Amino acid sequence: SCSAALSTTMRPAVGRSSPVSYTHLAGFQAIQTKGGNALLLSLGTDNSLYVTAESPGLRTGWARSNLSAAQAAASFGGESGAVCKDFTVAQQPDGSIHLAMVLAVAEQNDRLFLSLGNSDADTSWIDSPNWREYPYDDPDHPRSKVQITDVFISEASDGEYIVVDVIRDPDSAEKLIFRYYIDTSRENGYAWRAHDVAVDIEAGRYRSCLGRKSRQGSYAVDGIYTSGQVNGRAQLIYAPLFNVFDPSLPPNPDRLRLPDDSLVPDALAACRQAADNTSALYVAAGDGLYYFASDNQEDGATAEFLTRNALFTGVRSLFAFETGDGSVMVWGLNADDQIFLSLIHIFVGNRSYREH
């Protein structure tokens, strides 16, 4: 089994790693080019999707580009009020960059756009990304209005998984979510394939991320971690994206818990492990950081407590990635608009993966 130890290198990020003001951003995600330069994606105050690219040759060191404005103008015929309400980005093991965004106009269906397979070496695509729309097409669940609440793209090397959450019934006072995964090949004639959540979760009161628990045998498939509240009680579950034995049936969820049942997760981050595509799960809750090893995600599993620090209070965004030396970098954005960094060393038994 795996355990984790927190290094003493946890700190707020300062200086060149904080090139723009992050105050009031509706979203914030980051990836890296093949040359090691950062690409910071965010929603601006004008409700457009921007990428701020680290550009050492420029005087400021950064260049900002609007990724959504041209597509919004083309898709809505110049209609005023078109906004980018959500987005996500994922970087595949081969370095390619996948993007998703949601464009919206009041009183109309939200519209999903994907830009897949962008190069991490030649980033000229930033100036004119190739977006493709995937209109809502589920014939079994007609909706008075399609309201998208979240989008996810996995980073697995053995398959591409894109997940979209919508409001189950826009006319209901209780805004529960309904979940889809997107089949870009339209194998059965439709792109939107239903994959509902295992418990009722209210929109705006949950967090999700894609990953994969271990111990699935020969039928490994990505799943989604979801935390939220139901009747005031914290919920944290993992569920495969579909039932591999019968996709028409819902998959069985695993209910995970923090050491203190009163804690409600503020943010989740799944760290994809390159060796086998499984993921460890990191959870920020209260002012603490918690850890589920990939082999500690069966039903009823309890997280390992890592550390407590004021920087973890009210985390809005959390990210985790392998550094290549047996360590994991966990970083995020907290309620005070501080970016923090934390280096985690992973151990198996008494033996550290990290070379000293």
Side-chain angles (χ1 to χ4, degrees):
S1 63
C2 297
S3 62
L6 190 76
S7 80
T8 58
T9 56
M10 203 193 84
R11 61 190 183 279
V14 295
R16 198 164 66 95
S17 61
S18 302
V20 295
S21 171
Y22 300 106
T23 305
H24 305 308
L25 291 181
F28 173 81
Q29 296 185 41
I31 52 175
Q32 195 173 54
T33 68
K34 189 172 183 178
N37 295 320
L39 298 178
L40 309 179
L41 289 92
S42 63
L43 293 182
T45 54
D46 62 348
N47 295 312
S48 289
L49 173 59
Y50 286 93
V51 58
T52 303
E54 187 176 11
S55 306
L58 299 181
R59 182 181 61 83
T60 60
W62 300 87
R64 195 177 190 221
S65 301
N66 191 317
L67 297 178
S68 63
Q71 186 63 56
S75 296
F76 292 92
E79 183 174 352
S80 62
V83 301
C84 180
K85 62 178 288 188
D86 198 10
F87 77 95
T88 194
V89 60
Q91 192 159 21
Q92 305 305 109
D94 64 2
S96 61
I97 297 168
H98 292 359
L99 301 169
M101 71 174 177
V102 179
L103 297 182
V105 169
E107 307 307 322
Q108 296 186 25
N109 285 341
D110 292 347
R111 296 164 69 173
L112 173 68
F113 294 82
L114 303 178
S115 179
L116 307 177
N118 298 296
S119 172
D120 68 335
D122 177 6
T123 58
S124 59
W125 55 267
I126 286 175
D127 298 325
S128 184
N130 181 25
W131 294 105
R132 181 178 179 183
E133 184 176 1
Y134 288 84
Y136 181 80
D137 62 1
D138 177 9
D140 298 324
H141 299 90
R143 302 186 187 282
S144 60
K145 184 180 179 182
V146 178
Q147 290 182 290
I148 298 175
T149 64
D150 224 332
V151 185
F152 313 91
I153 302 177
S154 79
E155 297 177 342
S157 64
D158 58 355
E160 183 173 79
Y161 304 97
I162 301 168
V163 177
V164 180
D165 288 348
V166 304
I167 299 296
R168 182 188 301 272
D169 180 4
D171 300 320
S172 172
E174 191 175 28
K175 304 300 183 185
L176 301 178
I177 66 167
F178 190 94
R179 182 160 287 164
Y180 289 89
Y181 71 91
I182 303 300
D183 178 7
T184 57
S185 69
R186 294 185 170 93
E187 183 177 349
N188 67 347
Y190 303 98
W192 292 63
R193 304 185 67 171
H195 165 69
D196 203 8
V197 291
V199 297
D200 287 339
I201 298 176
E202 191 171 351
R205 303 185 66 182
Y206 76 102
R207 300 288 184 271
S208 288
C209 64
L210 283 169
R212 185 183 301 180
K213 74 171 188 177
S214 63
R215 298 178 177 173
Q216 295 190 67
S218 302
Y219 303 97
V221 64
D222 264 18
I224 193 158
Y225 305 96
T226 301
S227 68
Q229 294 187 68
V230 177
N231 297 324
R233 297 185 61 183
Q235 298 276 347
L236 177 57
I237 62 173
Y238 171 87
L241 288 181
F242 54 88
N243 187 320
V244 295
F245 301 105
D246 186 348
S248 67
L249 298 177
N252 293 322
D254 293 306
R255 289 168 173 79
L256 311 178
R257 58 180 300 272
L258 299 178
D260 182 347
D261 288 331
S262 67
L263 286 171
V264 177
D266 293 312
L268 310 176
C271 179
R272 185 75 64 169
Q273 297 164 167
D276 59 4
N277 277 313
T278 63
S279 58
L281 179 66
Y282 295 86
V283 181
D287 60 355
L289 183 65
Y290 301 83
Y291 166 76
F292 289 92
S294 62
D295 60 357
N296 180 38
Q297 297 178 20
E298 299 299 319
D299 192 43
T302 300
E304 179 181 348
F305 169 73
L306 291 180
T307 190
R308 200 176 304 283
N309 191 292
L311 289 171
F312 292 123
T313 302
V315 175
R316 290 157 46 190
S317 301
L318 194 67
F319 309 93
F321 63 91
E322 291 184 326
T323 62
D325 64 351
S327 300
V328 173
M329 180 66 73
V330 178
W331 64 284
L333 182 70
N334 67 19
D336 294 326
D337 299 306
Q338 294 174 302
I339 296 176
F340 58 84
L341 304 173
S342 178
L343 189 63
I344 312 293
H345 302 313
I346 305 300
F347 294 84
V348 172
N350 295 320
R351 181 172 64 85
S352 172
Y353 276 121
R354 181 169 182 255
E355 295 181 3
H356 296 280

